[in-house]
């Protein structure tokens, strides 16, 4: 906890600097976007943006917000436990998570646990489908998830405190503060999510006939965030982004006779960025330091544990030149140094250097074209030349078409390369060729986006049993994934009433080319719908999530499946008329009390409740 204390003191004093420089001048809002590449070089791909109102409907851990509002499929090892994603028929390590423009997927296992992230810790959450390795590197095969903090250099002092209390002694506490003027901008916040998580297993009893509960499932997630920006003048900025988190959770038992295990993990992310614009040149210089670690206790009553830690330095030089009103060229140089130590993979070091060139050409006002190429150099593997090419045409007011093709990859992780009982240092990166076509229709208050895609992956990394019975990773499989995604948005104002509908649907085929079998834990169908109604100070919301069945074995054994399930939530909140900056609300989760599992034997909660209060001042 030492770094938490230092971090807190830094944020506190940084905030005071901002408060001392207020004036009464009102200026237009100036927002500095943290992930510039997403805005400038992703116009030929489909992006889902989750605003504050959507994120507030599914408070707590990020899995909930994404599960009910996007096409992403999540596999949870029980409520609050390990949560991994599948996007467009790919594996959990083939979706890259980007924090303020930096790839933060684990160096140890290549994926991100979404139940270690809190929804409201970010003011920008976006999901981009399709390849992104040219810009963001390893893992951006199925798509990318972008978590950002955007700065505003205006005279603002705002604070928000939110407290949730619900079933199973679940408590969420959130604070967010913004202090800014025309020179300084600071955002500071912390969140704490905890739960005893001791819910009943519906219709489940032990051999004695006693009701079963979720045992050993309590968790606690604490996060601190701070962002500080200084504006030298209209052309130069200095920004510091920082985030630290500790997650402490037991692992839910499948039976009372199992050992009570515990898993603790933490991360720290720090990014310093200098931005300068001169004439037609813009330069971004970034330095990031990222740490991650875990401790696994086979018996949580004993001090013995296995562990793993990595420390990563990232240095990036990003220069773009606006040749004319039509052509933008961007060159990127990046150097990564990772040092890892663990009881399972020993001590190892990895260096990666990369170079990329991006170009955006606006042939006309309504026709945009993008191109990118990237090459990495390291002594751990042979990296392919990556590319992306896309085009977007919006020549009709009600219709837009986007097309994109790309070559993407995922590098072997520390566990893949160095695990002491099976690691394989001769692995090749996974390689994927992808194409997609999106049609976007807009008519009055209705927006409909339909995207078809195809993804061909070779050298897929899988852990398989060897001749001596030891499991080891190998580049064994070829996979083809294709499907369709549909996004529907509608909103309508009728007097003082406002209606809003958001729906998503994904149909996914992801097959092993040799066996023609669907990959396990990839559903054929997933759909979500959210209907919101507001009248004066009242807001009502209803959500539906449908996950189709998934196979749990590679041979698609029909006896080894997780059945399809539907879960619905509803919420209502009210702005107090006397105190306009206070909102009170309540939510019913799984309102119809359906029994379902996300993973074999990992029973999820039945009907449960949550109440919340929000102060803004």
């Amino acid at each position: 906890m030492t770094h938490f204390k230092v971090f807190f003191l830094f944020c506190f004093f940084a905030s005071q600097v901002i408060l001392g420089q207020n004036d009464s001048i009102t200026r237009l809002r100036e927002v500095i976007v943290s992930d510039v590449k997403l805005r400038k070089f992703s116009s030929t791909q489909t992006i889902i943006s989750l605003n504050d109102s959507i994120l507030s409907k599914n408070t707590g851990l990020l899995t909930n917000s994404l599960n009910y509002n996007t096409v992403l499929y999540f596999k949870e090892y029980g409520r609050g436990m390990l949560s991994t994603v599948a996007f467009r028929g790919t594996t959990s390590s083939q979706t890259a998570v980007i924090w303020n423009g930096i790839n933060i997927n684990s160096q140890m296992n290549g994926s991100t646990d979404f139940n270690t992230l809190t929804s409201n810790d970010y003011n920008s959450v976006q999901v981009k489908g399709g390849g992104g390795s040219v810009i963001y590197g390893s893992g951006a095969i199925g798509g990318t998830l972008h978590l950002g903090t955007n700065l505003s250099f205006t005279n603002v002092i705002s604070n928000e405190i939110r407290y949730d209390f619900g079933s199973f002694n679940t408590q969420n506490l959130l604070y967010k503060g913004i202090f800014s003027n025309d020179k300084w901008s600071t955002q500071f916040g912390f969140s704490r999510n905890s739960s005893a998580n001791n819910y009943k297993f519906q219709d489940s009893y032990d051999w004695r006939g006693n009701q079963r509960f979720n045992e050993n499932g309590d968790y606690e997630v604490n996060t601190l965030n701070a962002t500080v920006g200084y504006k030298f003048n209209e052309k130069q900025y200095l920004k510091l982004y920082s985030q630290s988190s500790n997650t402490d959770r037991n692992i839910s038992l499948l039976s009372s006779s199992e050992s009570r295990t515990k898993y603790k993990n933490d991360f720290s992310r720090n990014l310093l960025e200098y931005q300068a614009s001169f004439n037609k040149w813009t330069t971004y210089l970034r330095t990031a330091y990222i740490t991650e670690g875990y401790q696994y206790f086979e018996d949580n009553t004993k001090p013995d544990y296995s562990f793993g830690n990595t420390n990563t330095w990232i240095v990036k030089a990003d220069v773009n030149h606006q040749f004319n009103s039509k052509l933008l060229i961007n060159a990127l140089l990046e150097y990564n140094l990772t040092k890892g130590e663990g009881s399972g993979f020993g001590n190892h070091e990895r260096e990666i250097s990369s170079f990329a060139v991006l170009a955006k050409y606006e042939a006309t006002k309504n026709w945009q074209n993008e191109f990118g190429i990237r090459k990495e150099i390291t002594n751990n593997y042979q990296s392919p030349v990556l590319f992306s090419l896309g085009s977007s045409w919006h020549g009709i007011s009600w219709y837009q078409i986007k097309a994109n093709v790309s070559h993407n990859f995922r590098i072997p992780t520390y566990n893949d390369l160095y695990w002491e009982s099976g690691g394989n240092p001769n692995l090749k990166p996974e390689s994927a060729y992808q194409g997609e076509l999106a049609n976007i229709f807009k008519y009055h208050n209705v927006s409909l986006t339909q995207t078809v895609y195809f993804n061909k992956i070779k050298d897929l990394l899988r852990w398989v049993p060897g001749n001596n019975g030891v499991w080891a990773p190998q580049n064994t499989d070829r996979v083809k994934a294709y499907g369709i995604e549909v996004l529907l948005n509608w909103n309508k104002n009728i007097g003082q009433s406002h209606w809003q509908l958001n729906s998503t649907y994904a149909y996914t085929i992801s097959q092993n080319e040799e066996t023609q079998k669907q990959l396990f834990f990839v559903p054929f169908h997933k759909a979500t719908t959210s209907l919101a109604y507001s009248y004066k100070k009242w807001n009502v919301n209803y959500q539906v999530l449908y996950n189709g069945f998934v196979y749990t074995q590679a041979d698609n054994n029909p006896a080894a499946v997780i059945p399809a399930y539907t879960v619905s939530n509803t919420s209502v909140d009210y702005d107090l008329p006397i105190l306009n900056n206070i909102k009170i609300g309540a939510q019913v989760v799984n309102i119809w009390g359906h029994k379902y599992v996300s993973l074999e034997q990992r029973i999820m909660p039945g009907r449960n409740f949550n109440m919340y209060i929000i102060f803004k001042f």
Side-chain angles (χ1 to χ4, degrees), residues 151-189:
L151 292 173
S152 175
F153 288 90
T154 53
N155 289 298
V156 173
I157 299 177
S158 69
N159 298 273
E160 178 181 340
I161 298 175
R162 174 169 181 150
Y163 178 68
D164 294 63
F165 180 80
S167 302
F168 329 123
N169 194 28
T170 300
Q171 300 183 59
N172 303 323
L173 176 64
L174 170 75
Y175 167 76
K176 295 168 67 174
I178 300 176
F179 313 93
S180 66
N181 58 30
D182 60 352
K183 282 291 186 182
W184 288 91
S185 182
T186 293
Q187 296 184 35
F188 168 60

Side-chain angles (χ1 to χ4, degrees), residues 294-396:
Y294 76 86
Q295 296 175 340
Y296 173 71
F297 298 78
E298 290 188 359
D299 185 340
N300 61 19
T301 64
K302 298 180 180 179
D304 303 318
Y305 58 84
S306 57
F307 73 96
N309 299 288
T310 63
N311 302 304
T312 301
W313 281 98
I314 303 173
V315 179
K316 300 179 72 172
D318 181 346
V319 180
N320 64 63
H321 180 59
Q322 188 77 51
F323 278 87
N324 50 49
S325 60
K326 295 180 178 293
L327 180 61
L328 173 66
I329 300 292
N330 198 160
L332 299 92
L333 283 172
E334 183 174 344
Y335 172 77
N336 289 23
L337 171 63
T338 300
K339 296 182 179 181
E341 177 186 8
S343 51
F345 53 77
N347 293 279
H348 295 278
E349 182 176 302
R350 175 159 68 187
E351 295 181 83
I352 302 174
S353 299
S354 63
F355 173 75
V357 177
L358 311 173
K360 185 170 187 176
Y361 179 70
E362 297 186 1
T364 67
K365 180 181 178 181
N366 299 316
W367 183 18
Q368 298 181 343
N369 301 278
E370 297 172 347
F371 173 75
I373 190 168
R374 179 188 181 106
K375 175 64 177 177
E376 292 193 352
I377 302 172
T378 182
N379 59 352
N380 296 112
Y381 53 85
Q382 293 296 320
S383 171
V385 176
L386 309 176
F387 71 86
S388 65
L389 177 65
S391 186
S392 173
W393 182 75
H394 196 180
I396 305 175

Side-chain angles (χ1 to χ4, degrees), residues 551-562:
Y551 293 110
T552 62
Q553 295 180 7
D555 62 358
N556 287 186
N557 184 344
V561 299
I562 293 176

Side-chain angles (χ1 to χ4, degrees), residues 428-573:
K428 296 181 290 185
E430 297 175 340
S431 178
Y433 289 92
Q434 177 236 273
E436 62 179 276
L437 180 68
N439 296 282
I440 303 170
F441 303 90
K442 291 185 178 181
Y443 182 74
H444 294 300
N445 301 318
V446 179
S447 173
L448 176 67
T449 301
Q450 170 265 319
T451 304
V452 293
Y453 64 88
F454 181 83
N455 211 341
K456 190 177 182 66
I457 306 171
K458 68 175 183 177
D459 296 323
L460 187 73
L461 286 170
R462 291 183 59 201
W463 284 71
V464 296
N467 295 330
N468 55 0
V470 176
W471 287 69
Q474 295 182 16
N475 296 105
T476 59
D477 291 341
R478 290 176 177 264
V479 172
K480 59 180 179 182
Y482 56 94
I484 184 171
E485 296 171 353
V486 180
L487 311 175
L488 175 66
N489 306 100
W490 170 78
N491 63 83
K492 181 70 173 179
N493 289 318
I494 305 175
Q496 298 186 61
S497 299
H498 179 73
W499 292 88
Q500 184 169 355
L501 175 72
N502 296 297
S503 295
T504 73
Y505 169 72
Y507 173 69
T508 307
I509 298 292
S510 184
Q511 293 180 336
N512 182 307
E513 288 191 350
E514 181 180 353
T515 65
Q516 295 299 302
K517 302 293 186 181
Q518 179 87 344
L519 292 192
F520 51 87
F521 290 107
V522 175
F524 291 99
H525 304 278
K526 184 194 173 182
T528 70
T529 292
S530 176
L531 178 63
Y533 171 73
S534 61
Y535 177 74
K536 294 184 178 180
K537 296 180 180 297
W538 288 94
N539 298 280
V540 181
N541 185 70
Y542 184 75
Q543 297 175 319
V544 181
L545 163 67
Y546 171 79
N547 265 323
F549 80 91
V550 296
Y551 293 110
T552 62
Q553 295 180 7
D555 62 358
N556 287 186
N557 184 344
V561 299
I562 293 176
Y565 59 86
T566 303
V567 184
S568 300
N569 307 327
T570 188
S571 64
V572 59
D573 57 54

